[in-house]
């Protein structure tokens, strides 16, 4: 189960509020933190790996090292600005913590991640926890499959097309 630090309120991710958001989280406002936050805020629906954040920074002409990107993303996750997910075993991806519960669909072929919300699923998960005597604090619900684009092409497994 992925734990998601709670934020006090949903705060729109506008450029003018980035410094305030960092201060509220107890972080010093630095240029690398602001630039990384801008990359993430510009991609609210995306789930980016540290390497993708690093690549986008360099595409923008920003000279911020990969180690700094990793360190800042880890700090952001610790204070609840972002949520870290490990949808597959070899890489973590990060998304802004909107404070709104949602679940994920993950393509096993290309790694595409889509968010979804379903009241019936949310209600059922709360019921399951309650029947077992649990107080549900957070949860992670991930569905793995093939996205529409990947489903159009045959899949090769063990030398055979399926």
């Amino acid at each position: 189960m992925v734990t998601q630090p709670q934020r006090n309120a949903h705060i729109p991710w506008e450029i003018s509020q980035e410094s305030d958001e960092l201060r509220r989280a107890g972080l010093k406002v630095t240029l690398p933190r602001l630039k990384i936050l801008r990359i993430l805020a510009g991609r609210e629906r995306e789930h980016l790996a540290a390497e993708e954040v690093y690549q986008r920074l360099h595409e923008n002409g920003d000279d911020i090292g990969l180690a700094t990107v990793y360190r800042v993303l880890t700090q952001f996750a610790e204070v609840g600005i972002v949520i870290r997910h490990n949808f597959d075993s070899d890489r973590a991806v990060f998304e802004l913590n909107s404070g709104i519960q949602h679940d994920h669909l993950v393509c096993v072929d290309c790694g595409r991640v889509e968010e979804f919300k379903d009241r019936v699923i949310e209600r059922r998960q709360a019921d399951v926890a309650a029947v077992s005597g649990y107080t549900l604090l957070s949860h992670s619900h991930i569905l793995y499959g093939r996205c529409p684009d990947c489903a159009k092409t045959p899949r090769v497994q063990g030398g055979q097309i399926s």
Side-chain angles (χ1 to χ4, degrees):
M1 180 160 107
V2 175
T3 58
Q4 299 176 7
Q6 299 295 316
R7 292 175 58 191
N8 294 335
H10 172 66
I11 298 167
W13 290 93
E14 297 174 5
I15 301 295
S16 63
Q17 294 178 321
E18 292 169 345
S19 295
D20 290 341
E21 181 65 20
L22 291 174
R23 283 188 197 98
R24 269 192 294 278
L27 296 173
K28 183 177 175 184
V29 177
T30 65
L31 193 56
R33 286 182 180 139
L34 285 172
K35 289 182 182 262
I36 291 168
L37 190 54
R38 284 183 186 147
I39 294 290
L40 295 169
R43 309 289 183 173
E44 273 189 54
R45 304 283 302 179
E46 279 191 285
H47 300 71
L48 300 174
E51 295 82 3
E52 293 167 314
V53 173
Y54 172 77
Q55 179 182 2
R56 290 183 184 175
L57 286 165
H58 279 268
E59 288 169 0
N60 293 340
D62 296 316
D63 187 26
I64 297 172
L66 184 57
T68 299
V69 172
Y70 275 108
R71 185 173 55 255
V72 168
L73 289 172
T74 298
Q75 291 166 345
F76 284 0
E78 288 171 355
V79 297
I81 292 174
V82 300
I83 300 170
R84 177 188 176 127
H85 298 283
N86 289 90
F87 294 129
D88 57 39
S89 60
D90 64 342
R91 97 181 180 144
V93 292
F94 300 84
E95 69 172 310
L96 284 177
N97 184 355
S98 67
I100 299 169
Q101 176 57 50
H102 61 273
D103 299 303
H104 298 92
L105 289 160
V106 179
C107 180
V108 297
D109 290 341
C110 70
R112 176 174 159 183
V113 177
E114 290 192 39
E115 297 176 355
F116 72 94
K117 297 174 192 140
D118 187 301
R119 287 187 180 135
V120 173
I121 290 173
E122 294 300 315
R123 202 171 310 121
R124 183 69 185 121
Q125 291 175 135
D127 290 346
V128 167
V131 165
S132 299
Y134 280 72
T135 301
L136 192 60
L137 301 176
S138 71
H139 74 276
S140 175
H141 189 88
I142 306 166
L143 302 175
Y144 293 93
R146 296 182 79 209
C147 71
D149 293 336
C150 292
K152 292 176 187 173
T153 60
R155 210 169 171 203
V156 178
Q157 288 183 317
Q160 295 191 11
I161 297 176
S162 59

